[in-house]
Amino acid sequence: MTTANVATPAAPLTRREFLYYVWAASIALFMAEMGGALIWFALPRFKEGEFGGVITLPISDLPTPDSGPKDLPDVRIWLVNLGEGRIDDNRQPGEYTVNGGVRALYKICVHLGCLYKWVPTNDRFECPCHGSKYLASGSRIDGPATRNLDSFPIEFVDDDGNVLAQSGTAGTGKSEEGGALEIPSGAVAIRIDTGQRVEGASNTQPGGGI
Ligand code: FES
């Protein structure tokens, strides 16, 4: 006569073991979430060449001094090149001085966020929503906006990618942040950082003539 093997039933989990497994699972889940969050923050949010990232353009794409602004609609920029004519413009508000060179202006009106347009016949930007007006320099010359246009920091680089000049980065407190930069000799490209908008200075006085 043979004897059948009978499996021994597993011992039930004790309360202590059960709590241990729950604790271990919670820690594992927490670590997985932290790892995912770290990877998420480490990934670049914006791709180069898209709004929110760094835009690189060859110098040949820049407007010539005092010509009309260049529209870059995909990246929400008006590129301007301020020459003597813009600096000496008698509509320029006296409380806000302008340097010559290139600026990258943010295309959104600082009043309530409409897209303002360049109007060649009036030689100025005009907002279709409530009538604010700005010079090519970005200076506000008529409200209801109460400050100059916002802009983006720019830098010029040579063939090897060396930075030859930069307008400053938002948050450094430099007065030239987002300001105009002359194109340095040897520059082959401009880089515009659309991830760092520089707020236009308060400017509530009309200029010499709208
Ligand atoms: S949004 Fe441009 S003037 Fe109001």
Side-chain angles (χ1 to χ4, degrees):
M1 179 176 158
T2 57
T3 306
N5 285 331
V6 178
T8 310
L13 286 180
T14 65
R15 177 181 162 78
R16 178 185 292 259
E17 287 170 329
F18 175 74
L19 290 176
Y20 172 78
Y21 287 131
V22 169
W23 174 80
S26 304
I27 293 291
L29 184 63
F30 175 73
M31 296 302 284
E33 284 177 350
M34 288 299 289
L38 278 176
I39 291 169
W40 171 258
F41 281 112
L43 288 173
R45 296 299 172 89
F46 302 102
K47 289 187 191 155
E48 179 142 347
E50 292 181 352
F51 181 78
V54 175
I55 314 299
T56 303
L57 297 171
I59 293 298
S60 55
D61 275 10
L62 295 176
T64 54
D66 288 344
S67 60
K70 179 162 186 164
D71 189 6
L72 303 177
D74 293 345
V75 287
R76 305 175 207 174
I77 288 173
W78 282 106
L79 265 182
V80 296
N81 193 346
L82 311 174
E84 291 300 321
R86 302 288 184 208
I87 295 169
D88 296 338
D89 190 331
N90 63 9
R91 298 171 299 173
Q92 185 64 43
E95 66 174 306
Y96 183 77
T97 53
V98 170
N99 299 321
V102 176
R103 294 194 78 196
L105 300 172
Y106 186 36
K107 291 188 80 166
I108 305 297
C109 180
V110 298
H111 177 229
L112 288 177
C114 288
L115 285 171
Y116 60 85
K117 312 251 183 269
W118 178 249
V119 181
T121 48
N122 292 334
D123 193 35
R124 66 190 180 194
F125 293 113
E126 297 180 0
C127 182
C129 292
H130 313 102
S132 290
K133 297 172 183 66
Y134 310 90
L135 297 179
S137 61
S139 298
R140 166 261 191 216
I141 54 170
D142 198 12
T146 58
R147 61 186 174 88
N148 298 332
L149 292 172
D150 295 343
S151 60
F152 298 110
I154 59 174
E155 59 185 23
F156 289 104
V157 294
D158 67 13
D159 241 341
D160 297 321
N162 299 311
V163 176
L164 303 176
Q166 57 188 164
S167 65
T169 306
T172 64
K174 290 181 182 173
S175 60
E176 70 270 25
E177 284 177 356
L181 264 190
E182 298 279 5
I183 305 171
S185 129
V188 298
I190 181 174
R191 284 193 198 134
I192 307 164
D193 187 352
T194 61
Q196 303 207 54
R197 183 162 52 92
V198 180
E199 194 168 285
S202 172
N203 189 349
T204 56
Q205 299 300 312
I210 295 171

